[in-house]
Amino acid sequence: MNNFCKEVVRKLDEEIKEFSFEEDNIILLSEAVVELILTRIKEIKEYVLEKGFKDIEEETHFFKKVKPNIVSKLIYYNAIYKIETKKPYGGDKALKKYLENEVTKLKRFFDNNLDFYRYYRTNSTYLDHKYFIRGKYDIKLSLDTYFFESDHSFSTSHDYKAAKILANDLIQVYLEDQLFNKNINTSARNHLSVPSPLNWTSSKTALIELIYALHSHATFNNGLVDIKVIAKTFEEVFNIELGDFYHT
């Protein structure tokens, strides 16, 4: 099961990267990637329903880590498609308000799901048997209406919510980039108004190792922040481009 899913995810990531190189229009790119991800999810679903899981641990891992990783990409690109197609005309002021409202939506989701956010981000396991096992839902654990309409043979009560958490981190980075690139001040994040006087003069690898160390120790926001957000901040503060720091 794990090998099959890893291969599908690897192939998916390569295909998304190829699409990104070939298509500059973010709307067309998002539309194409959504269709691609849906195809890959269908492949995994068919495999899961046919092969099943060897034990509870494998099932938990799949619905806690594997499926959310893939579905988060779907949520992200679908969100970007909606954000871009609904952008208002009328200059920076209207765009600023629109983007800040989108950031507020992310914060609202965070506030409404704070307990699960902490549980998932701290890699807790004591409720995994209710969150990530099929047919073991507990209505007292803040279930979304979406769950009751989903295919319970391929869903648990919280796998989609886990995917939403991962996707929201990426969406936040996207929105902040939009605001920063257009020199729009936003209450969502206090960007530097003047260039930073600090330049990172050591190796990129050294800075990336530092970022990973800080992230692993939950140094920022009690650990409730994606490593991409941290990396982006370090790039701005130290005037450096880290590129594909995952591979580095």
Side-chain angles (χ1 to χ4, degrees):
M1 175 66 70
N2 288 334
N3 291 336
F4 175 82
C5 292
K6 285 180 180 179
E7 178 60 24
V8 172
V9 172
R10 184 196 65 77
K11 184 178 179 180
L12 174 61
D13 287 340
E14 288 183 355
E15 290 171 326
I16 292 176
K17 186 176 291 186
E18 290 178 5
F19 278 23
S20 300
F21 288 145
E22 296 171 359
E23 182 57 72
D24 293 331
N25 187 305
I26 188 62
I27 294 176
L28 296 179
L29 172 64
S30 299
E31 188 175 3
V33 171
V34 165
E35 293 296 325
L36 173 63
I37 296 172
L38 287 173
T39 300
R40 297 294 169 242
I41 291 176
K42 182 180 179 181
E43 290 178 12
I44 292 181
K45 179 179 179 179
E46 291 175 350
Y47 187 88
V48 166
L49 296 183
E50 178 183 350
K51 301 294 184 180
F53 301 102
K54 65 181 181 181
D55 52 35
I56 294 297
E57 286 71 24
E58 186 176 67
E59 180 174 358
T60 301
H61 176 73
F62 176 82
F63 287 109
K64 187 175 185 178
K65 300 294 184 180
V66 179
K67 187 185 174 188
N69 178 34
I70 300 173
V71 175
S72 68
K73 302 177 192 295
L74 176 63
I75 297 172
Y76 170 74
Y77 282 100
N78 187 47
I80 298 309
Y81 179 84
K82 292 180 179 179
I83 289 170
E84 291 296 328
T85 55
K86 294 180 180 179
K87 270 186 176 179
Y89 295 100
D92 284 351
K93 185 175 181 180
L95 183 57
K96 172 187 174 181
K97 182 177 180 181
Y98 172 74
L99 294 175
E100 287 185 338
N101 285 339
E102 293 298 316
V103 175
T104 300
K105 292 178 184 178
L106 300 182
K107 185 179 184 301
R108 188 179 302 121
F109 176 85
F110 170 79
D111 291 340
N112 291 338
N113 296 279
L114 183 57
D115 288 341
F116 180 69
Y117 219 103
R118 287 172 174 165
Y119 178 90
Y120 193 74
R121 284 305 193 195
T122 56
N123 289 317
S124 299
T125 59
Y126 60 91
L127 286 176
D128 280 2
H129 64 289
K130 291 187 176 181
Y131 285 152
F132 302 111
I133 298 294
R134 292 171 295 179
K136 300 294 184 180
Y137 69 89
D138 186 342
I139 198 171
K140 298 183 183 67
L141 297 176
S142 300
L143 300 185
D144 293 330
T145 303
Y146 165 82
F147 169 69
F148 298 105
E149 301 173 351
S150 63
D151 182 354
H152 291 189
S153 66
F154 192 63
S155 300
T156 68
S157 64
H158 282 68
D159 68 83
Y160 183 83
K161 189 168 288 188
K164 187 79 171 173
I165 287 174
L166 300 177
N168 282 0
D169 287 338
L170 301 177
I171 297 168
Q172 179 182 342
V173 172
Y174 182 84
L175 292 171
E176 290 176 346
D177 282 345
Q178 293 280 301
L179 289 163
F180 182 75
N181 290 338
K182 294 182 179 297
N183 294 318
I184 299 174
N185 292 323
T186 172
S187 59
R189 182 174 174 190
N190 184 22
H191 289 293
L192 298 175
S193 58
V194 295
S196 170
L198 301 177
N199 294 310
W200 184 267
T201 54
S202 186
S203 68
K204 288 185 179 181
T205 302
L207 180 56
I208 292 169
E209 288 178 346
L210 173 61
I211 291 170
Y212 268 92
L214 294 171
H215 181 260
S216 67
H217 284 278
T219 306
F220 304 107
N221 296 4
N222 296 314
L224 303 177
V225 61
D226 189 82
I227 194 169
K228 277 192 173 184
V229 178
I230 302 173
K232 183 67 178 178
T233 303
F234 271 69
E235 285 182 327
E236 294 168 6
V237 171
F238 297 121
N239 297 312
I240 186 173
E241 291 186 6
L242 296 177
D244 190 354
F245 62 90
Y246 288 118
H247 288 170
T248 304

